[in-house]
Amino acid sequence: MSKHSENTEFSIPEPTLKRLPVYLNYLQHAKESGLLTISAPVIGKALGYDHTQVVKDIAYTGAKGRPRIGYNIYEVVQHIENFLGFNLKNEAFLIGAGNLGTALMAYPNLKDFGIQLIAAFDSDPDKTGKTKSGINILHTDKFKDLREKLDVRIAVLTTPAEVAQQVTDFIIECGIEAIWNLSPVHLQVSANVIVQNTSMYSNVAVLLKKWQHSKKTQHNK
Amino acid sequence: MSKHSENTEFSIPEPTLKRLPVYLNYLQHAKESGLLTISAPVIGKALGYDHTQVVKDIAYTGAKGRPRIGYNIYEVVQHIENFLGFNLKNEAFLIGAGNLGTALMAYPNLKDFGIQLIAAFDSDPDKTGKTKSGINILHTDKFKDLREKLDVRIAVLTTPAEVAQQVTDFIIECGIEAIWNLSPVHLQVSANVIVQNTSMYSNVAVLLKKWQHSKKTQHNK
DNA sequence: CAGTGTGAAGTTGTTCACAGCA
DNA sequence: TGCTGTGAACAACTTCACACTG
């Protein structure tokens, strides 16, 4: 695959992209507790990041801080939301209304964190026709028509592993452009489709390895 | 003495740690389809990684390949499982039997990917006393005793955000040493406890940004 | 040849050091 | 003094180049 074709806009570091929602979540709680301003060192200490990291990440969003005072919380929240496109109504379809799908339909504030689920689809007639957390579960038959009618471009995939790839091929053919993949399968798609694979297993691996390592080094001490 | 002997003094790159379960998952499928050997370039092409990356990642696990032929799939699978500690029975408690908790109880092969959930806990009496996917849901009251009795050190946290930190403090006091945190709150713990924060939101941010970016650059072409 | 294995080069991300500010 | 902001040093990770192997 070619390197990035010349970008007028420089691209944002992916680690920054992943930290920004963490800041956002933290800042929204801070805001609720009545604070008006907050400094990068405070955020850093709370979330375990170096304070310069926080300053640089926030700078990406365009928010400006004031020496000795820090940032206006409301302003930073606005800038992060703007920057990430969270204030746009990014409407998405959920594919697969199993346990994980149900969990996402009920996931708190998902629509404030970028994605608004407006319908769910499943091929199992036992699941379709119902409503969960206010979201209708429809039969996959209706996917193509509804996608066009509502002009939805984003899908969240929570099907069983066995059908994940074939369902992916189908929804891309129907016009889906971006997929958040929560199935435990690494999807293969053509270059014009964006996939974000979220492997639960990866996190388990990191946790276990850190834990095993900490146990080893503890009785070496 | 080879660089990666069984006694790893230096730590493994975290990206490698996250890729290994992805390989594992892919290889297990490849194995089922009857293949005996597989090469790094093939794995790389399927999963979107550079082939040298794959070679180096696999080398960390201690598996050896043969030029022109590749790796014995069964052997690599063994080595990855060993290396990540997935063949040890890492018993864990699930805290919070809501939607996401229920999804995890039913998550396919979780026990083959490092963690075996042996009980779930919830403070809501409506949820306790039941069994989901073969896992008993108990009242939080019983947590302390049962943790000691069964000597469980790992917890998977799927509580609502509001109580996540206070529940964390409690289970750590009870002796939990490692926490896979799936609640949308960044937990603060003392240095001797391992936490793996898995923010769903972060993945959405990355997906959206890539998508928005791809749309921009598409009509520049 | 088509692959592994590995040191070196290149790239990306993080931390340091310090200037400037109120 | 406590903060932002930033260029420079550093560390981590990825990709390249190539020797080696059956």
Side-chain angles (χ1 to χ4, degrees):
Chain A
M1 226 130 282
S2 72
K3 295 246 167 165
H4 17 237
S5 39
E6 34 62 65
N7 273 337
T8 27
E9 252 178 276
F10 54 98
S11 68
I12 305 97
E14 190 164 313
T16 296
L17 236 38
K18 289 192 170 170
R19 282 188 298 264
L20 285 174
V22 179
Y23 300 159
L24 187 58
N25 191 54
Y26 174 77
L27 292 171
Q28 276 167 350
H29 281 112
K31 201 172 69 172
E32 276 165 27
S33 71
L35 277 173
L36 290 178
T37 65
I38 198 159
S39 74
V42 168
I43 300 173
K45 236 159 270 164
L47 304 179
Y49 303 125
D50 183 276
H51 70 99
T52 354
Q53 189 74 269
V54 178
V55 169
K56 289 191 175 180
D57 287 341
I58 291 177
Y60 273 110
T61 69
K64 299 285 173 199
R66 287 160 64 198
R68 267 222 68 163
I69 290 162
Y71 302 88
N72 176 303
I73 295 188
Y74 177 80
E75 234 174 271
V76 183
V77 166
Q78 283 294 313
H79 273 93
I80 294 178
E81 287 178 347
N82 253 300
F83 183 74
L84 295 176
F86 282 6
N87 46 8
L88 307 173
K89 277 280 162 279
N90 298 299
E91 298 184 328
F93 282 156
L94 179 74
I95 324 286
N99 285 299
L100 190 53
T102 305
L104 280 173
M105 288 189 253
Y107 210 73
N109 312 320
L110 199 59
K111 75 170 191 302
D112 300 326
F113 279 80
I115 277 184
Q116 180 162 23
L117 297 177
I118 57 169
F121 293 86
D122 206 292
S123 57
D124 179 355
D126 286 353
K127 286 179 183 144
T128 59
K130 293 172 187 166
T131 294
K132 279 183 178 167
S133 306
I135 296 164
N136 289 324
I137 304 168
L138 309 169
H139 194 274
T140 321
D141 289 347
K142 295 174 183 152
F143 184 84
K144 193 181 167 68
D145 277 356
L146 216 60
R147 199 219 60 78
E148 274 160 28
K149 203 170 179 180
L150 301 177
D151 195 30
V152 170
R153 310 293 180 96
I154 306 169
V156 180
L157 197 89
T158 55
T159 64
E162 300 78 43
V163 297
Q165 184 65 55
Q166 106 196 30
V167 168
T168 299
D169 297 342
F170 168 70
I171 62 176
I172 289 174
E173 212 182 285
C174 294
I176 286 294
E177 296 174 354
I179 300 171
W180 180 20
N181 174 29
L182 285 141
S183 86
V185 166
H186 190 104
L187 298 177
Q188 293 188 271
V189 299
S190 59
N192 57 324
V193 178
I194 311 290
V195 172
Q196 181 69 16
N197 291 297
T198 299
S199 166
M200 295 288 186
Y201 302 144
S202 291
N203 289 286
V204 177
V206 176
L207 179 75
L208 276 184
K209 203 70 191 177
K210 283 185 189 167
W211 178 56
Q212 286 156 3
H213 186 260
S214 84
K215 284 200 298 187
K216 258 186 207 163
T217 51
Q218 234 154 39
H219 43 77
N220 283 3
K221 264 274 155 99
Chain B
M1 174 74 78
S2 90
K3 235 165 113 187
H4 327 117
S5 52
E6 58 284 6
N7 205 349
T8 25
E9 272 312 316
F10 63 102
S11 65
I12 305 97
E14 191 165 312
T16 296
L17 235 38
K18 289 192 170 172
R19 281 188 298 264
L20 285 174
V22 179
Y23 300 159
L24 187 57
N25 191 53
Y26 173 78
L27 292 172
Q28 277 167 349
H29 281 113
K31 202 173 66 175
E32 276 164 29
S33 71
L35 278 173
L36 290 178
T37 62
I38 198 159
S39 74
V42 168
I43 301 174
K45 236 159 270 165
L47 303 179
Y49 303 125
D50 183 277
H51 70 100
T52 354
Q53 189 75 268
V54 178
V55 170
K56 290 192 176 182
D57 287 341
I58 291 177
Y60 272 110
T61 69
K64 299 284 174 202
R66 287 162 61 201
R68 269 224 62 167
I69 290 161
Y71 302 88
N72 175 304
I73 294 189
Y74 177 81
E75 233 175 272
V76 182
V77 166
Q78 284 293 314
H79 273 93
I80 294 179
E81 286 178 346
N82 253 300
F83 183 74
L84 295 176
F86 282 6
N87 47 5
L88 306 174
K89 277 280 164 282
N90 298 300
E91 299 184 326
F93 282 156
L94 179 75
I95 324 286
N99 284 299
L100 189 53
T102 305
L104 281 173
M105 288 188 254
Y107 209 72
N109 311 320
L110 199 59
K111 75 170 191 303
D112 300 326
F113 279 81
I115 278 185
Q116 180 162 23
L117 297 177
I118 57 169
F121 293 86
D122 206 293
S123 58
D124 179 355
D126 286 353
K127 287 180 182 142
T128 60
K130 294 171 186 167
T131 294
K132 280 183 178 167
S133 306
I135 297 164
N136 289 323
I137 304 169
L138 310 169
H139 194 272
T140 321
D141 288 347
K142 293 172 184 154
F143 184 83
K144 192 182 168 70
D145 276 358
L146 216 60
R147 199 218 61 77
E148 274 162 28
K149 205 171 180 179
L150 301 177
D151 195 31
V152 170
R153 309 295 179 96
I154 305 169
V156 181
L157 198 87
T158 55
T159 63
E162 300 77 43
V163 297
Q165 183 65 55
Q166 106 197 30
V167 168
T168 299
D169 296 342
F170 168 70
I171 62 176
I172 290 174
E173 212 184 286
C174 294
I176 287 293
E177 295 173 356
I179 301 170
W180 181 20
N181 174 29
L182 285 142
S183 85
V185 165
H186 190 103
L187 298 177
Q188 293 189 268
V189 300
S190 59
N192 58 326
V193 177
I194 311 291
V195 173
Q196 182 69 13
N197 291 297
T198 299
S199 166
M200 295 288 185
Y201 302 145
S202 291
N203 289 284
V204 177
V206 176
L207 179 74
L208 277 185
K209 203 70 191 178
K210 283 186 189 163
W211 179 55
Q212 286 157 5
H213 186 261
S214 84
K215 285 200 298 185
K216 258 187 208 161
T217 50
Q218 235 155 35
H219 42 77
N220 284 2
K221 263 272 158 110

